[in-house]
Amino acid sequence: MAGHAAVMEAPTGFIRKYIFSIDHKVIGIQYLLLALFAVFLGMVLSAFMRLRLAWPEEKWPLLQQIFPQGFAGGPMTPEFYLAMMTMHGTIMVFFVLTTAPLSGFGNYFLPIQVGARDMAFPILNMLSFWITFVAMAVMVMALFATGGAPIAGWTSYAPLSALGQVAGPGLGAGQTLWIVSIAIFCVASLLTSLNFLTTTLNLRARGMSLLRMPLTVWAWFTTAMLALLAFPVLLAGGILLLLDRVGGTSFFIPGGLVVSDQLIPHQGGSPLLWQHLFWFFGHPEVYIAILPGMGVTSHILSTFARKPVFAYKAMVGAIFAIGFISYIVWGHHMFMSGMSPFSSMAFSITTLAVGVPSAIKTFNWLATLWGGQIRFTSSMLYALGFVSLFVSGGVTGMLLAQPAVDVALHDTYFVVAHFHIIMGVAAIFGIFAGLHFWFPKMFGRMMDERLGKIHFWITIAGVYAIFMPMHYLGVAGALRRYAQLTEFDFLRPMQPLHQFITVAAFVTIAAQLIFVFNFFYSMFKGKRAGANPWEATTLEWIIPSPPPHDNFGPIEPVVNHGPYEYSVPGAAKDHIMQTAPAEEARR
């Protein structure tokens, strides 16, 4: 541990305090608010998709007035559907599931939980947020680009994404802006990961050994390592894709390609090269989204079960094992590409192997709960919901790890259901759990518990009602990425199921307004939080709420205990703070 930065005076001007702030706590809130905007934009786009899938022939006069090209002739056009699908997936994966768990919560709480006054590089931290903001702005521009929003999907498979306007509407300026936005986002994520790693390794308080760090810090630390190694690959691939579009190169465009009776003057490129580059990033990205949720869940389950995390060292090892294995399984996204059976077998085995550390975490969560004095707060319910969704989505992943099964199901709604449950919804439940748990620390007030529980029950019932039936659609052969499935005779009997899913989606989306009201109302009118309302043990709860500018001020905390000292025999209370004197555990 290399020591701490000097104590800095808090800024007084509005611009320096709230806009271009170098305070990690302000930057964390900025990231969370950006993600909140992104998640509601993403949900609106998904609502458009559900309209087309449930009622493909229906005309929507109001929407036709707002989007005359997207609803030309009355019903939603297939191109508009593909644009909504592309932008929904991109915004949710990059600007919600990557931004909120790592950059939002991590920025705010990692320095406090290790006993630091700020991030290692505060100015770089500020730049990271504003570069992310620019990336989001460019992505929104792509949504309204001349020629239409991009339609190549959130994976932007080549050669479709590499060709330009000749390939069709939505593949002109909109697709170019998409690539530029993702490249900018990669730069911001690299800066963020460097800051996280340096802060964790160099700025820990005295006594804060690696095995005294909360599991949240271990999760952010591992996630930062994944980001540091994964995003450069996507950045390089994005640059090559952009060169194919505007520079006349042939990295991903094969020779002899004819589009709309026009010979494309490229040769020597490989569309599969883009898939390799994208999924080498893309599978670690799954864990960039989910690992912080695992850390938050472990933290909250221990706090509200009033028990230490079961097998803490095994949990740390499982986090690292999941991160490592995530780099050697990318080929399971490419079983359909015609790879060698030997390669398929290798990727299948490594994919199944990730189930081992995942099972360790799941059974350790259950063991942590077993025999505990459980307090069913809103954050605890969301943490339990995370466990439920993680298991539900993970089981179907074991099926898709088999090449013979995946080839049959890969292009169906079975994969949509698996992907959304384990990466999308589970990660968002981790975000909800963290927001309810740390809200009193961030704002000094409590979120309304009754509203929080109402929101939880509607949301978990809604997401299961949305995504569980998609497994049946996939087994029946319903094809993903298609704007309309009623043209297939064998799928017409499944149309009522699409309509049920759509109604469930609208109810679930509407229920999120409960959370928004609770969040902003509680920020200003919520009940005042005490110093430690959850009776937690980690370092963020030894300082005022909200924390002062320099967190711990001139007095550096000294850590004498692990992060989860609950129900210690002989202790005066059922919890021991990490900074309590060493002899307190023996009272």
Side-chain angles (χ1 to χ4, degrees):
M1 292 173 282
H4 291 250
V7 178
M8 296 181 292
E9 293 292 332
T12 55
F14 180 83
I15 299 295
R16 288 301 305 276
K17 189 173 182 180
Y18 296 110
I19 308 300
F20 297 109
S21 175
I22 59 173
D23 185 343
H24 70 98
K25 299 180 290 297
V26 175
I27 294 171
I29 292 175
Q30 288 175 326
Y31 272 117
L32 289 172
L33 292 177
L34 179 66
L36 186 64
F37 166 78
V39 75
F40 273 89
L41 177 58
M43 285 194 299
V44 169
L45 301 180
S46 70
F48 284 125
M49 295 165 59
R50 294 310 317 171
L51 282 177
R52 170 73 190 201
L53 289 167
W55 301 285
E57 304 295 340
E58 189 71 30
K59 296 182 180 181
W60 309 96
L62 178 61
L63 293 176
Q64 187 177 7
Q65 292 181 8
I66 301 173
F67 305 103
Q69 292 183 334
F71 290 81
M76 184 188 301
T77 64
E79 292 80 8
F80 190 81
Y81 171 86
L82 290 173
M84 297 300 99
M85 180 197 71
T86 299
M87 298 302 290
H88 164 76
T90 303
I91 289 170
M92 296 298 280
V93 168
F94 290 96
F95 296 99
V96 179
L97 302 179
T98 303
T99 298
L102 178 63
S103 301
F105 288 131
N107 254 301
Y108 199 109
F109 290 104
L110 185 146
I112 307 178
Q113 288 196 334
V114 300
R117 296 192 186 101
D118 208 314
M119 281 290 190
F121 309 114
I123 294 177
L124 204 64
N125 202 21
M126 176 191 71
L127 289 175
S128 300
F129 169 75
W130 285 106
I131 294 172
T132 304
F133 182 86
V134 170
M136 181 67 194
V138 174
M139 187 60 68
V140 172
M141 290 169 59
L143 187 60
F144 299 99
T146 303
I151 63 170
W154 80 273
T155 58
S156 281
Y157 277 177
L160 184 67
S161 60
L163 291 175
Q165 194 68 47
V166 67
L171 294 168
Q175 185 64 42
T176 301
L177 288 170
W178 186 96
I179 299 169
V180 171
S181 172
I182 296 303
I184 295 171
F185 186 87
C186 289
V187 173
S189 297
L190 287 171
L191 298 180
T192 297
S193 61
L194 286 170
N195 226 339
F196 277 43
L197 294 174
T198 307
T199 302
T200 305
L201 293 175
N202 287 355
L203 299 187
R204 300 194 308 278
R206 281 188 297 159
M208 178 63 78
S209 64
L210 291 176
L211 292 180
R212 283 180 172 173
M213 294 195 311
L215 288 172
T216 45
V217 176
W218 277 112
W220 290 320
F221 180 72
T222 307
T223 303
M225 287 196 292
L226 295 181
L228 187 65
L229 297 174
F231 277 104
V233 177
L234 182 62
L235 176 60
I239 292 171
L240 299 182
L241 186 62
L242 191 62
L243 287 173
D244 274 9
R245 290 180 61 82
V246 301
T249 57
S250 299
F251 294 106
F252 308 121
I253 304 175
L257 185 65
V258 176
V259 178
S260 301
D261 296 326
Q262 179 178 340
L263 179 66
I264 305 300
H266 289 265
Q267 59 183 351
S270 170
L272 287 182
L273 175 59
W274 169 257
Q275 289 193 36
H276 279 292
L277 292 174
F278 183 88
W279 287 117
F280 187 82
F281 149 82
H283 199 78
E285 165 63 20
V286 171
Y287 294 102
I288 289 172
I290 202 74
L291 275 175
M294 292 181 180
V296 169
T297 294
S298 303
H299 197 75
I300 290 174
L301 292 183
S302 177
T303 301
F304 292 112
R306 313 311 293 171
K307 284 182 61 183
V309 168
F310 184 84
Y312 170 90
K313 291 182 180 179
M315 295 289 266
V316 172
I319 289 173
F320 265 96
I322 290 170
F324 172 76
I325 296 173
S326 73
Y327 276 106
I328 55 176
V329 299
W330 80 91
H332 70 218
H333 295 273
M334 299 173 59
F335 287 149
M336 295 286 287
S337 66
M339 66 171 61
S340 158
F342 298 103
S343 298
S344 296
M345 181 176 66
F347 284 121
S348 176
I349 291 171
T350 52
T351 301
L352 291 171
V354 81
V356 175
S358 298
I360 289 172
K361 295 194 73 64
T362 301
F363 286 116
N364 284 11
W365 286 330
L366 297 178
T368 301
L369 293 169
W370 186 264
Q373 298 177 342
I374 299 176
R375 302 175 181 177
F376 288 104
T377 63
S378 296
S379 55
M380 183 62 159
L381 290 175
Y382 281 110
L384 293 170
F386 176 95
V387 176
S388 171
L389 292 160
F390 180 72
V391 173
S392 300
V395 168
T396 55
M398 295 296 99
L399 296 175
L400 295 171
Q402 315 298 323
V405 176
D406 184 80
V407 167
L409 296 176
H410 187 84
D411 285 324
T412 72
Y413 270 85
F414 194 94
V415 172
V416 177
H418 160 72
F419 177 85
H420 277 81
I421 289 176
I422 196 165
M423 180 185 175
V425 182
I428 287 177
F429 267 59
I431 295 170
F432 282 139
L435 279 171
H436 279 271
F437 182 73
W438 281 313
F439 189 90
K441 176 53 56 180
M442 291 190 287
F443 302 108
R445 296 178 182 271
M446 305 291 290
M447 290 187 75
D448 187 276
E449 281 289 301
R450 183 176 60 177
L451 289 178
K453 291 174 181 177
I454 292 172
H455 174 247
F456 166 78
W457 287 112
I458 296 176
T459 302
I460 195 166
V463 297
Y464 271 120
I466 295 166
F467 297 112
M468 278 301 174
M470 287 187 185
H471 292 95
Y472 305 119
L473 286 172
V475 172
L479 298 169
R480 59 184 174 132
R481 305 190 185 98
Y482 276 51
Q484 183 172 344
L485 297 172
T486 54
E487 295 174 345
F488 300 93
D489 290 339
F490 72 97
L491 289 178
R492 285 177 186 164
M494 307 298 289
Q495 196 61 21
L497 194 54
H498 261 305
Q499 294 169 351
F500 170 81
I501 292 170
T502 300
V503 172
F506 288 164
V507 172
T508 307
I509 291 172
Q512 305 319 300
L513 297 176
I514 300 173
F515 168 79
V516 172
F517 172 80
N518 194 5
F519 183 83
F520 287 105
Y521 179 83
S522 300
M523 193 183 297
F524 301 102
K525 299 291 186 178
K527 177 184 174 183
R528 291 283 183 182
N532 188 1
W534 310 129
E535 296 182 304
T537 60
T538 45
L539 295 184
E540 71 265 35
W541 300 106
I542 69 171
I543 57 178
S545 303
H549 173 69
D550 53 0
N551 298 337
F552 303 95
I555 302 175
E556 180 185 344
V558 178
V559 175
N560 297 308
H561 302 278
Y564 304 111
E565 298 289 338
Y566 294 103
S567 302
V568 177
K573 299 181 179 179
D574 76 338
H575 65 286
I576 299 174
M577 304 299 293
Q578 284 195 280
T579 54
E583 61 272 13
E584 185 164 326
R586 298 191 292 270
R587 291 179 185 174

